Amino acid sequence: MFLNVLIFCASFIPVLFAAPVTHSKAGVFHGRHLPEFDQDLYLGIKYAPKPVRFSPATLVGDAPTTDFNASSYGLDCTGYGSDTNTLVTGGWTKMGEDCLHLNIVKPKTNETGLPILLWIYGGGWQQGATSDPRYNLSYIVQQSAEMNKHMIGISINYRMAAFGFINGAAVKASGTQNLGLRDQRLALQWVNRHISSFGGDPSKVTIWGESAGAYSVGDHLNAYHGDSQGLFRAAILESGNSVGAPLNATYWYQPMYDNLTASVGCSHAANTLQCLRDVPYEKIAPYGNQGLEWFHVLDGDIITQPGQTALRNGNFAKVPVIIGTNTDEGFGVNGVNTNAQALEQLTHSKRWNLTHAQAERILELYPDDPTLGAPYGWGNRTWPQNGLQYKRYTGIATDLTMYAPRRLMAEEFSRFAGLVYSYRWDAPKFNNTPSNIGVNHFSEIPFVFGNTEQQITPLGNSTENLRLSRLVMRMWVSFAHGLDPNGHAVSDTVVWPKYKDSVSNFVFRADRSYIEADTDRMEGVAYINTLVR
């Protein structure tokens, strides 16, 4: 039995804190008390046993009399690497396939029926972990306690790269696509079944993610023709949406599958997929990424139609949402110098896959004028080392990837559901440098998690940064608690209107946040939103 843990306070005087214990149908969980936040943590709770590789996981069975140590994180699911020597040097000792677990952060309170804010990490569906200290939920849960709007924070692990999103003809035939999304759905089912034992309300779950995590949230909004199955009542999407990456890219995935089979000696097997299942983990793990990207696909089950189609037809869960992007999201598009290269990128990039006519139209709508391109707000300044048409193509990439789908989702959710709040994040990373300029992808993460640890996600000692962090955390808490981000009790803050009442964005800035009309790049964005990808 795990009766207590020894904690040392700042003065190095040993103090005994009673370890929290929760009895549930899933088991008896012995957690860990965090005195500096006055929170109880339950870490590394398995929601599924170790799955058969490249197969759907199953919900863990009930074990109401079994004791579980829930005082530390479990294995991470990042089961691949670019350096195979990490397997030899022990760099993967905390990674593996038995990694489907979740973590619960609960404020110390006698209240029950607490709302849930459930985090799904990003990382391109290729990397990420709940144990990443940048995703420490203690700070935002602490804000909920200070606001007297107590909530529970949950983070979930899921399989990634080939282990979570493998695809190809053999995978399609076996019906085992989108395994990472299925993992996430299974975690939501565990929460729905068991969170009341921890003082939570299963009917008050807000799913929340950034980047691939936000795209995952979008997939759950569209899943099963919009049937939430009672697993969530609201959603927050940071730098991601319900449109996402290309869904039909057979030309993309089959070569990756073939490369994977060749890398581990399965190319000539009678059943290549079974061969991949039988290969020792240490042999296959280094090749899980294949140097490319495994994404979600149309599988006829979870995802039955492209995101644009689901939005236009109203085939999504009609729940309140917060959705937004950062000002300059067009990452990874360096090296474009000429119109010909821009056309080549747009028509041959696996990320865009546009026709020649579509690409030409986009170049007409986004002229090679540095004053119009991204990073925005820099006038004529250019970064030729990144490409002579860097600002033009970054602007195009920002809108194709994030900005246009965000507007489409805000419009269609407003039309069918009504309760939508849209934002633009315009506060740069604290460590902004000339080589990493602009309000780019991931810029908001240090703020929304409020982590003040200088070596992790430094907000610095800036009063403005800390005030903005407090504001956004409290808005997220207010939304999770009462479906309205305005109940944050932060003075001198403008009211955030619903998108259907005011077609606008809340602009988060460190100096002073404000409301702007959502009218930037109207013609280009409207055209992009006609392209079903």
Side-chain angles (χ1 to χ4, degrees):
M1 298 290 292
F2 309 99
L3 298 179
N4 52 54
V5 291
L6 186 62
I7 306 288
F8 289 88
C9 63
S11 59
F12 300 101
I13 299 174
V15 179
L16 286 175
F17 292 96
V21 179
T22 290
H23 295 259
S24 74
K25 290 181 180 179
V28 182
F29 295 97
H30 300 263
R32 168 185 167 194
H33 183 68
L34 203 61
E36 58 267 42
F37 290 96
D38 197 22
Q39 296 170 353
D40 290 340
L41 312 183
Y42 296 90
L43 307 174
I45 296 176
K46 284 190 178 182
Y47 64 83
K50 181 180 178 180
V52 174
R53 186 184 303 154
F54 304 137
S55 299
T58 58
L59 193 66
V60 68
D62 290 350
T65 62
T66 303
D67 291 285
F68 294 98
N69 183 351
S71 61
S72 60
Y73 290 105
L75 292 174
D76 293 343
C77 289
T78 306
Y80 70 91
S82 58
D83 178 10
T84 55
N85 290 327
T86 56
L87 287 170
V88 178
T89 60
W92 288 14
T93 55
K94 293 186 177 181
M95 302 176 185
E97 294 179 279
D98 192 9
C99 63
L100 299 185
H101 64 262
L102 54 82
N103 311 290
I104 299 172
V105 179
K106 177 185 175 184
K108 202 73 173 179
T109 176
N110 292 325
E111 292 182 24
T112 58
L114 303 182
I116 316 298
L117 187 56
L118 186 145
W119 171 250
I120 304 175
Y121 53 74
W125 292 287
Q126 318 306 311
Q127 59 183 339
T130 59
S131 62
D132 188 328
R134 294 174 298 180
Y135 303 143
N136 185 345
L137 288 167
S138 283
Y139 294 91
I140 192 168
V141 171
Q142 182 184 47
Q143 287 295 317
S144 80
E146 292 181 5
M147 297 167 66
N148 199 29
K149 293 186 176 182
H150 295 92
M151 71 174 194
I152 291 174
I154 296 180
S155 57
I156 62 175
N157 263 17
Y158 60 94
R159 286 174 288 176
M160 296 167 290
F163 295 98
F165 295 92
I166 191 170
N167 192 30
V171 180
K172 182 177 181 180
S174 70
T176 55
Q177 298 163 301
N178 292 325
L179 295 173
L181 290 178
R182 296 176 189 274
D183 292 346
Q184 296 169 13
R185 202 77 173 188
L186 209 60
L188 291 174
Q189 292 172 14
W190 189 98
V191 170
N192 183 267
R193 180 176 175 83
H194 299 296
I195 199 59
S196 59
S197 298
F198 295 83
D201 187 337
S203 70
K204 296 181 179 179
V205 174
T206 297
I207 52 177
W208 166 40
E210 183 268 347
S211 192
Y215 285 120
S216 296
V217 170
D219 283 333
H220 291 298
L221 291 170
N222 292 343
Y224 304 109
H225 295 280
D227 183 2
S228 70
Q229 301 173 333
L231 299 177
F232 55 88
R233 70 163 183 174
I236 300 174
L237 302 91
E238 299 175 19
S239 298
N241 49 75
S242 62
V243 174
L247 291 164
N248 298 339
T250 303
Y251 66 89
W252 186 336
Y253 298 113
Q254 191 62 48
M256 293 169 65
Y257 181 89
D258 294 341
N259 288 338
L260 179 60
T261 57
S263 298
V264 297
C266 287
S267 293
H268 302 294
N271 186 329
T272 56
L273 184 58
Q274 188 58 47
C275 181
L276 292 175
R277 291 188 177 116
D278 295 337
V279 170
Y281 174 74
E282 293 76 12
K283 182 176 181 179
I284 194 172
Y287 304 103
N289 180 259
Q290 288 294 298
L292 294 168
E293 295 176 306
W294 300 93
F295 290 150
H296 60 188
V297 295
L298 286 169
D299 61 9
D301 181 23
I302 296 179
I303 305 177
T304 59
Q305 57 189 322
Q308 292 99 324
T309 304
L311 285 172
R312 302 289 194 196
N313 295 338
N315 298 139
F316 54 81
K318 311 299 191 299
V319 300
V321 298
I322 289 176
I323 181 170
T325 67
N326 300 341
T327 299
D328 308 302
E329 294 271 16
F331 52 93
V333 293
N334 294 356
V336 176
N337 294 296
T338 66
N339 287 352
Q341 288 178 339
L343 283 171
E344 176 73 13
Q345 285 281 333
L346 290 170
T347 55
H348 289 79
S349 167
K350 294 173 180 176
R351 188 177 295 271
W352 314 132
N353 190 32
L354 302 177
T355 68
H356 190 83
Q358 290 170 340
E360 285 192 326
R361 179 57 179 150
I362 284 178
L363 292 184
E364 291 175 1
L365 294 169
Y366 293 82
D368 186 19
D369 180 351
T371 64
L372 302 177
Y376 294 104
W378 291 89
N380 283 316
R381 181 175 175 180
T382 60
W383 289 267
Q385 69 273 21
N386 294 335
L388 297 179
Q389 293 194 14
Y390 168 69
K391 292 188 72 175
R392 178 195 204 182
Y393 201 72
T394 299
I396 292 172
T398 292
D399 287 358
L400 279 169
T401 308
M402 300 286 183
Y403 199 79
R406 187 274 313 156
R407 181 174 291 164
L408 178 64
M409 186 172 171
E411 291 170 345
E412 296 304 314
F413 263 70
S414 293
R415 182 163 69 98
F416 284 100
L419 199 56
V420 181
Y421 296 93
S422 181
Y423 76 83
R424 179 170 65 88
W425 187 270
D426 200 40
K429 289 181 181 177
F430 180 73
N431 62 342
N432 208 17
T433 67
S435 62
N436 189 22
I437 206 71
V439 186
N440 40 44
H441 200 59
F442 208 76
S443 291
E444 86 288 0
I445 287 296
F447 294 86
V448 297
F449 281 92
N451 195 328
T452 57
E453 295 293 329
Q454 293 293 314
Q455 295 180 346
I456 300 171
T457 54
L459 294 175
N461 297 319
S462 165
T463 300
E464 290 183 337
N465 283 348
L466 295 175
R467 184 175 63 241
L468 178 59
S469 176
R470 180 171 177 265
L471 171 64
V472 67
M473 283 193 291
R474 287 185 165 227
M475 283 183 158
W476 276 204
V477 168
S478 294
F479 183 73
H481 199 275
L483 306 179
D484 184 350
N486 292 296
H488 47 71
V490 176
S491 60
D492 299 324
T493 302
V494 295
V495 174
W496 189 348
K498 300 181 185 68
Y499 196 85
K500 71 172 183 178
D501 297 334
S502 171
V503 180
S504 60
N505 302 312
F506 189 98
V507 181
F508 288 97
R509 285 184 59 92
D511 49 5
R512 188 174 183 84
S513 300
Y514 60 91
I515 304 298
E516 68 175 8
D518 188 19
T519 55
D520 283 350
R521 308 183 296 282
M522 288 290 289
E523 192 176 6
V525 165
Y527 178 72
I528 288 172
N529 283 336
T530 67
L531 308 176
V532 178
R533 286 163 285 147

